[in-house]
């Protein structure tokens, strides 16, 4: 029964339209980022991929590029551009400008300067987030033990681009799931077919379980389609090389340093779990409101709530908001150092979020099933 129900959901005209629109939008966003010049194709820089950004590479860069300067009326010289002798180093110079703030600082940057700047940003975030003493000790120990250098990953990188765009995958998946599953339970009440359905030989209990299973199957399928549309486009354009680069190269300074390919698999796996959770949320709202429009509106409100950014001083509220399904998949999560204290251990948000989502999925799924089984037809 669940397979038949899932097939019916997928074949609905509104479902097909929603999925096609979402997939096309996701592909257009990925392609548009490259067409607009936000991501510059530079095949020469491949010689740098996987190398540490150390003094040796920075010296090579200074030999390959040089600042173009103009002389002001007072005699001072200001760098206004870059002359390129070797195009392989142009993207590295552009990257350092975003970190250093101007051409002079970028051109003269050393490995120590780069490390100091990254450490300073991390220290500032740790202070702003009002961490407990045990959390501060944890991250200081983590940073002291880290032996991973800042590895160059090329500006146009399928792994990095996919991680940075995952936030939009979550938004579009939510829209698709809300549109598809909003009527799973509410359609019966709106079409006044609930009395007939409840009198069938399958009964409420089997029917509730079948509906939930079918909805979850469709929701995960939609999430997977949107996810593949995103990462497939990014990898087709940018290729699979550069997976060993540091996640810091793409999301900025973080004490959660890891390879960008590892970050991608963490986000992709969590995205599927989020798809599962959003499917159950949509069906739960469908049972509560018995109105498809109300379900879609409520899911959009959830998205808007996820854009709120309470101050770190509101520790409990702020930390709870960081676990909202859409919010979690932003690049800023790699700089969220607030932890969960459990069983005498400390767990990061990357470790706990998927578990939290699964727990809420089970709770909401159970409550939805119980509510449906106890539902009484009044009209």
């Amino acid at each position: 029964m669940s397979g038949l129900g899932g097939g019916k959901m997928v074949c609905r005209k509104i479902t097909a339209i929603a999925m096609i629109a979402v997939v096309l939008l996701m592909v257009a966003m990925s392609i548009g980022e490259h067409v607009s010049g936000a991501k510059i194709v530079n095949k020469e820089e491949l010689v740098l991929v996987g190398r540490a950004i150390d003094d040796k590479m920075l010296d090579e860069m200074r030999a390959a590029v040089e600042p173009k300067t103009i002389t002001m009326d007072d005699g001072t010289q200001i760098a206004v551009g870059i002359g390129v002798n070797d195009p392989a180093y142009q993207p590295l110079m552009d990257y350092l400008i975003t970190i250093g703030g101007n051409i002079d600082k970028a051109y003269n940057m050393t490995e120590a300067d780069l490390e100091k700047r990254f450490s300073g940003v991390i220290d500032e975030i740790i202070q702003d987030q009002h961490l407990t003493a045990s959390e501060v000790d944890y991250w200081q120990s983590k940073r002291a033990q880290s032996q991973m250098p800042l590895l160059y990953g090329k500006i146009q990188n399928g792994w990095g681009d996919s991680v940075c765009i995952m936030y939009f995958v979550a938004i579009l998946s939510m829209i698709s799931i809300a549109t598809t599953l909003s009527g799973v339970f509410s359609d019966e009440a709106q079409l006044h077919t609930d009395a007939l359905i409840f009198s069938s030989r399958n009964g409420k209990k089997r029917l509730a379980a079948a509906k939930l299973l079918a909805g979850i199957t469709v929701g995960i399928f939609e999430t997977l389609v949107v996810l593949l549309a995103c990462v497939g486009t990014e990898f087709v354009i940018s290729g699979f090389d550069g997976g060993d680069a540091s996640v810091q190269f793409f999301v900025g300074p973080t004490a959660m340093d890891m390879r960008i390919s590892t970050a991608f698999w963490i986000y992709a796996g969590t995205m599927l779990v989020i798809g599962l959770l959003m499917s159950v949320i949509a069906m739960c709202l469908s049972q509560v409101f018995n109105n498809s429009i109300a379900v879609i509106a409520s899911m959009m409100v959830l998205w808007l709530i996820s854009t709120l950014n309470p101050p770190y001083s509101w520790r409990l509220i702020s930390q709870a908001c960081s676990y909202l399904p859409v919010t979690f998949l932003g690049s800023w999560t790699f700089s969220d150092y607030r932890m969960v204290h459990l069983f005498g251990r400390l767990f990061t948000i990357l470790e706990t979020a998927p578990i939290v989502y699964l727990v809420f999925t089970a709770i909401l799924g159970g409550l939805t099933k119980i509510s449906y089984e106890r539902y009484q037809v009044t009209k």
Side-chain angles (χ1 to χ4, degrees), residues 19-338:
M19 288 186 64
I20 292 172
V22 165
V23 168
L24 289 178
L25 182 57
M26 192 74 255
V27 172
M29 287 175 59
S30 297
I31 295 176
E33 188 179 30
H34 298 272
V35 173
S36 66
K39 298 290 182 180
I40 302 170
V41 179
N42 188 324
K43 294 182 180 180
E44 290 84 358
E45 69 170 327
L46 291 177
V47 299
L48 304 180
V49 173
R51 286 182 55 189
I53 304 179
D54 52 17
D55 284 329
K56 184 175 185 297
M57 182 186 287
L58 295 173
D59 287 339
E60 293 171 1
M61 180 200 71
R62 277 184 280 274
V65 302
E66 56 181 346
K68 292 180 179 179
T69 61
I70 61 173
T71 303
M72 305 297 290
D73 293 338
D74 60 0
T76 59
Q77 290 187 324
I78 299 178
V80 294
I82 293 296
V84 181
N85 299 320
D86 185 345
Y89 292 86
Q90 174 69 62
L92 173 59
M93 184 67 189
D94 293 337
Y95 174 71
L96 294 176
I97 289 173
T98 64
I99 296 173
N102 62 54
I103 295 173
D104 281 329
K105 287 184 179 179
Y107 183 77
N108 294 298
M109 190 170 291
T110 64
E111 182 180 353
D113 293 334
L114 190 60
E115 183 178 347
K116 182 178 179 181
R117 190 162 187 84
F118 272 56
S119 294
V121 172
I122 295 172
D123 289 337
E124 185 177 345
I125 294 174
I126 287 177
Q127 185 175 3
D128 289 344
Q129 290 181 352
H130 301 281
L131 303 186
T132 64
S134 58
E135 289 172 336
V136 172
D137 290 342
Y138 174 91
W139 289 114
Q140 298 294 8
S141 175
K142 191 85 170 177
R143 294 164 68 186
Q145 295 172 9
S146 177
Q147 300 296 319
M148 186 174 181
L150 180 61
L151 300 180
Y152 188 84
K154 81 171 185 170
I155 303 301
Q156 188 182 21
N157 184 298
W159 302 97
D161 294 345
S162 295
V163 168
C164 293
I165 206 172
M166 202 71 72
Y167 174 73
F168 297 101
V169 175
I171 294 174
L172 294 179
S173 294
M174 174 182 281
I175 294 173
S176 179
I177 288 172
T179 305
T180 303
L181 302 183
S182 59
V184 169
F185 292 103
S186 62
D187 281 354
E188 298 170 2
Q190 290 181 294
L191 298 174
H192 304 293
T193 59
D194 41 8
L196 178 63
I197 292 173
F198 289 165
S199 64
S200 66
R201 65 184 179 87
N202 290 312
K204 291 183 180 180
K205 290 187 177 181
R206 290 183 60 188
L207 189 57
K211 280 177 172 287
L212 285 168
L213 182 57
I216 287 172
T217 302
V218 170
I220 292 179
F221 172 74
E222 289 184 321
T223 302
L224 188 59
V225 168
V226 177
L227 181 60
L228 290 177
C230 163
V231 302
T233 304
E234 295 293 350
F235 283 120
V236 165
I237 294 174
S238 304
F240 290 89
D241 49 346
D244 288 336
S246 307
V247 71
Q248 293 191 90
F249 187 79
F250 304 94
V251 305
T254 173
M256 298 185 196
D257 202 16
M258 63 186 74
R259 288 179 170 83
I260 189 62
S261 57
T262 302
F264 166 80
W265 289 117
I266 291 174
Y267 264 27
T270 306
M271 181 65 247
L272 293 178
V273 177
I274 287 174
L276 171 65
L277 173 60
M278 290 192 293
S279 301
V280 173
I281 290 175
M283 290 187 286
C284 180
L285 293 172
S286 180
Q287 171 61 21
V288 169
F289 292 120
N290 282 327
N291 185 293
S292 298
I293 301 299
V295 174
I296 296 174
S298 298
M299 294 287 279
M300 295 304 101
V301 169
L302 177 60
W303 169 34
L304 292 175
I305 292 175
S306 72
T307 63
L308 299 177
N309 188 24
Y312 290 131
S313 55
W314 301 0
R315 170 69 188 243
L316 187 60
I317 296 175
S318 178
Q319 190 169 6
C321 286
S322 68
Y323 279 84
L324 289 173
V326 178
T327 304
F328 173 82
L329 289 171
S331 58
W332 46 81
T333 296
F334 290 99
S335 296
D336 191 339
Y337 304 120
R338 295 164 297 182

